[in-house]
Amino acid sequence: MSRLVYVLNGPNLNLLGKRQPQIYGHETLADVEAECRKVAEELRLDIRFHQSNREYEIIDWVHEAREAAGGIAINPAAFTHTSVAILDALNTFEGPVIEIHISNVHKREAFRHHSFVSTRADGVIAGFGTQGYTLALRRLARLIDEKAA
């Protein structure tokens, strides 16, 4: 089983650290990527870290992952609540998927309580700030190891 994990980030996450820091914190997406790479090395995972404001690019990366990856960690951001297309792409992926949200979406506006992605995800991490990414990598490493055993 591949130890490659795709870490996918949806719209506006390129503004992490600048956009609503009272909700999303002060870390930048580059900070998140650096921490993910550090933890991935510890876990003997390879990662591909991507961000896009375009739905089709996220779908294309999920399609890529089908051929090469053992798992996907995804923060779909606003696409969480709107994208059946990303859900359909994730449904073609056979490995584990962990959905990440920096904020606790259940304490926010009602429209944020619904997630299309959650119907495919093997787990959902919400409200742990950017630490949710490293928690997702730790869980994916365990799921990949269990599948390989």
Side-chain angles (χ1 to χ4, degrees):
M1 159 129 311
S2 173
R3 295 193 66 77
L4 174 63
V5 171
Y6 275 57
V7 181
L8 303 178
N9 295 278
N12 299 309
L13 287 166
N14 55 306
L15 299 177
L16 200 58
K18 298 174 188 162
R19 175 181 170 243
Q20 297 176 287
Q22 70 280 10
I23 295 174
Y24 301 109
H26 295 281
E27 296 92 354
T28 66
L29 196 58
D31 295 333
V32 173
E33 181 176 1
E35 190 63 24
C36 284
R37 292 196 179 283
K38 181 176 145 188
V39 170
E41 186 176 332
E42 168 194 327
L43 298 169
R44 298 178 336 275
L45 294 173
D46 295 314
I47 64 170
R48 293 208 179 129
F49 196 96
H50 298 292
Q51 185 279 328
S52 182
N53 296 319
R54 296 173 214 55
E55 184 179 39
Y56 76 89
E57 284 187 315
I58 295 168
I59 292 164
D60 286 347
W61 291 323
V62 172
H63 291 176
E64 249 181 54
R66 290 182 67 230
E67 303 300 321
I72 295 174
I74 183 168
N75 183 343
F79 291 144
T80 303
H81 323 292
T82 63
S83 184
V84 173
I86 290 174
L87 170 62
D88 286 348
L90 288 168
N91 280 333
T92 71
F93 181 74
E94 294 182 10
V97 174
I98 304 294
E99 179 181 352
I100 306 162
H101 298 286
I102 295 168
S103 69
N104 181 351
V105 293
H106 303 288
K107 287 180 72 174
R108 299 185 62 197
E109 304 93 335
F111 75 87
R112 295 186 194 275
H113 299 177
H114 177 265
S115 168
F116 285 103
V117 173
S118 291
T119 63
R120 166 56 183 92
D122 296 284
V124 179
I125 298 171
F128 288 86
T130 57
Q131 183 185 8
Y133 286 85
T134 57
L135 294 171
L137 290 176
R138 290 184 187 287
R139 181 64 182 150
L140 284 168
R142 175 161 301 174
L143 292 171
I144 290 167
D145 289 345
E146 288 173 359
K147 196 169 184 178

